[in-house]
Amino acid sequence: VVALGYYYSVPFPLPAANATLAQVTTFATKYQNIVYLDTWLQAVGALLTVVFFLALVQLSGAMNRFAGWMTLVASTLTLAVALAEGTFALGAIEAGINGHPEAAIASLDLTYVFVHIFLILPAPLLFLALGTVLLNSEVLPKLFSILALMLGVGFAIAGLAGFFSGI
């Protein structure tokens, strides 16, 4: 949780979605180390979050129930999305530094789709499944189950709304 908290608090200006070759190359050179740290925090934070959520499923005795399996599937998707986004972020930096500006722009463009992908399936499924697991468990107070279910619904709505927002 600390890693994810820090990840989301690292302020550096990402190039705009329509950035020029020069802007992407300048960004790659100026923020190389910060993007490396950012990518590491995202990957490790996602892994630690998934481990925590799966521990809750195990402690709840729900690993062999449908909601437990759905939490496992959603955890896998969450890690896949986090690692894929990190791959494209690092690809944008490496390509920009190594003089491959078109590849840098293509990689940067691909990083911008992950805000949509994450909200379409991994986030809603993860929180809805975990909320369902916790609903029938005494591992945490019921409030956490309700909050997880609300987050799942909120992520699903945000994922759908994201298609129409122009982001």
Side-chain angles (χ1 to χ4, degrees):
V1 174
V2 172
L4 279 178
Y6 184 74
Y7 166 75
Y8 285 110
S9 70
V10 175
F12 61 93
L14 290 173
N18 60 352
T20 65
L21 293 171
Q23 289 170 323
V24 171
T25 303
T26 299
F27 173 80
T29 304
K30 185 174 182 179
Y31 294 104
Q32 175 185 5
N33 291 331
I34 292 174
V35 171
Y36 289 159
L37 175 63
D38 178 71
T39 302
W40 182 86
L41 288 169
Q42 180 180 356
V44 171
L47 176 64
L48 293 174
T49 300
V50 162
V51 168
F52 176 69
F53 286 178
L54 292 177
L56 290 175
V57 172
Q58 180 67 30
L59 291 170
S60 297
M63 196 56 85
N64 291 322
R65 294 198 330 247
F66 184 72
W69 278 99
M70 287 297 96
T71 305
L72 180 62
V73 168
S75 295
T76 303
L77 292 170
T78 299
L79 287 175
V81 168
L83 293 175
E85 182 181 12
T87 298
F88 291 121
L90 295 180
I93 294 298
E94 292 295 322
I97 290 170
N98 292 325
H100 305 287
E102 291 84 7
I105 285 185
S107 291
L108 186 64
D109 286 345
L110 288 169
T111 64
Y112 282 107
V113 302
F114 283 94
V115 67
H116 296 290
I117 295 299
F118 182 71
L119 293 174
I120 291 170
L121 185 64
L125 180 58
L126 184 59
F127 283 94
L128 290 171
L130 183 63
T132 302
V133 165
L134 294 175
L135 195 60
N136 301 313
S137 168
E138 295 180 12
V139 172
L140 292 174
K142 293 284 185 231
L143 175 64
F144 288 97
S145 173
I146 294 166
L147 291 173
L149 292 168
M150 289 172 56
L151 277 172
V153 170
F155 282 135
I157 291 168
L160 182 60
F163 285 123
F164 305 104
S165 69
I167 295 175

